[in-house]
Amino acid sequence: MPGNIDIRQRLATRTEIIDFGPAAATLADTYVGEDAVLTYARAQAARTGIQAVGPSGGACLRLLAAALGAKAVAEIGTGTGVSGLYLLRGMRPDGILTTVDPEPIRQELAREAYLAAGFAANRARFIPGRALDVLPRLADGQYDLVFCDGDAAESVAYLAESLRLLRPGGVVCFEGVFQQGRLTDPALDDPETAAMRELVQAVRESKQLVPALLPVSDGLLCAVRR
């Protein structure tokens, strides 16, 4: 049966998952456009060696946050604030973004970006630390959306925490699923790629989730918790 096919067999076909066309990718990335604050936050990400979510992926996050009427969002991987800006712009005006990152310096850059975008200081809660140390301290079932853009090798553990954190009807999203093409290369089996393959299969086969793998940014895997 199709559901029993190994995930690497499915991904090794490399059909529209990666090769959906550079023109389509460019259009998706330029469709919404980014203002000066986002452009600056993205430049800071590049300067510090961070792969920030692409404009098309960010637009999807903003759309999901708006569709959910999100009041509480958890983010794994603050970076320099690119994804957080998109999330905050989709959330309710009284919504709070809880964002976790092991690097306090990056969180300071994100804080500056949020303030420059006009968000009050109390709209974001910054927690420095390793995600798997911080997430167990967050409340069960209290989040509308969880966005994961941390250590790829820990993705399956992030999924387990996300299922605990989300309310029914809440959404979990994982950025960077395509791993810049490594996901579909059968010759590669490094810890990050192997973990991402395991994640993709676990989300697809979970009875608790309704998933979709979106060809935006570097692959955005989203799923609704039943």
Side-chain angles (χ1 to χ4, degrees):
M1 294 180 63
N4 294 326
I5 296 175
D6 182 83
I7 194 67
R8 272 191 275 191
Q9 285 181 264
R10 285 175 172 263
L11 295 174
T13 61
R14 293 183 62 90
T15 55
E16 288 82 2
I17 289 179
I18 298 296
D19 301 318
F20 65 97
T26 299
L27 176 59
D29 272 343
T30 58
Y31 177 68
V32 175
E34 295 190 327
D35 62 11
V37 177
L38 269 168
T39 300
Y40 179 75
R42 192 174 293 286
Q44 291 286 67
R47 183 181 64 80
T48 54
I50 300 170
Q51 181 70 36
V53 65
S56 55
C60 284
L61 293 176
R62 182 178 61 182
L63 181 148
L64 288 169
L68 290 164
K71 185 175 181 179
V73 173
E75 177 185 48
I76 301 170
T78 308
T80 57
V82 175
S83 52
L85 286 168
Y86 277 109
L87 289 165
L88 285 166
R89 287 174 172 174
M91 294 168 66
R92 289 169 37 170
D94 60 343
I96 296 175
L97 172 67
T98 298
T99 182
V100 181
D101 198 286
E103 297 294 338
I105 293 175
R106 293 201 295 244
Q107 290 194 319
E108 284 304 312
L109 293 172
R111 191 192 307 273
E112 292 173 6
Y114 301 162
L115 292 175
F119 294 107
N122 64 358
R123 290 292 310 279
R125 178 171 61 145
F126 295 90
I127 306 178
R130 180 173 171 264
L132 294 180
D133 294 331
V134 173
L135 295 177
R137 306 203 301 263
L138 304 184
D140 294 7
Q142 298 301 306
Y143 290 85
D144 304 298
L145 191 155
V146 178
F147 174 57
C148 305
D149 190 15
D151 185 345
E154 297 180 342
S155 296
V156 177
Y158 296 160
L159 175 63
E161 287 295 330
S162 298
L163 289 173
R164 180 184 62 79
L165 295 174
L166 286 171
R167 62 166 174 81
V171 174
V172 59
C173 294
F174 289 85
E175 161 63 5
V177 173
F178 293 162
Q179 292 284 287
Q180 299 180 327
R182 296 193 301 276
L183 187 74
T184 59
D185 188 340
L188 297 178
D189 201 32
D190 56 275
E192 291 80 10
T193 304
M196 201 59 77
R197 289 183 183 129
E198 184 180 353
L199 170 74
V200 171
Q201 184 159 348
V203 170
R204 179 170 59 87
E205 295 179 353
S206 173
K207 303 299 184 184
Q208 294 180 269
L209 297 170
V210 180
L213 178 53
L214 308 179
V216 295
S217 190
D218 188 28
L220 189 68
L221 177 62
C222 301
V224 179
R225 182 183 182 278
R226 293 183 185 276

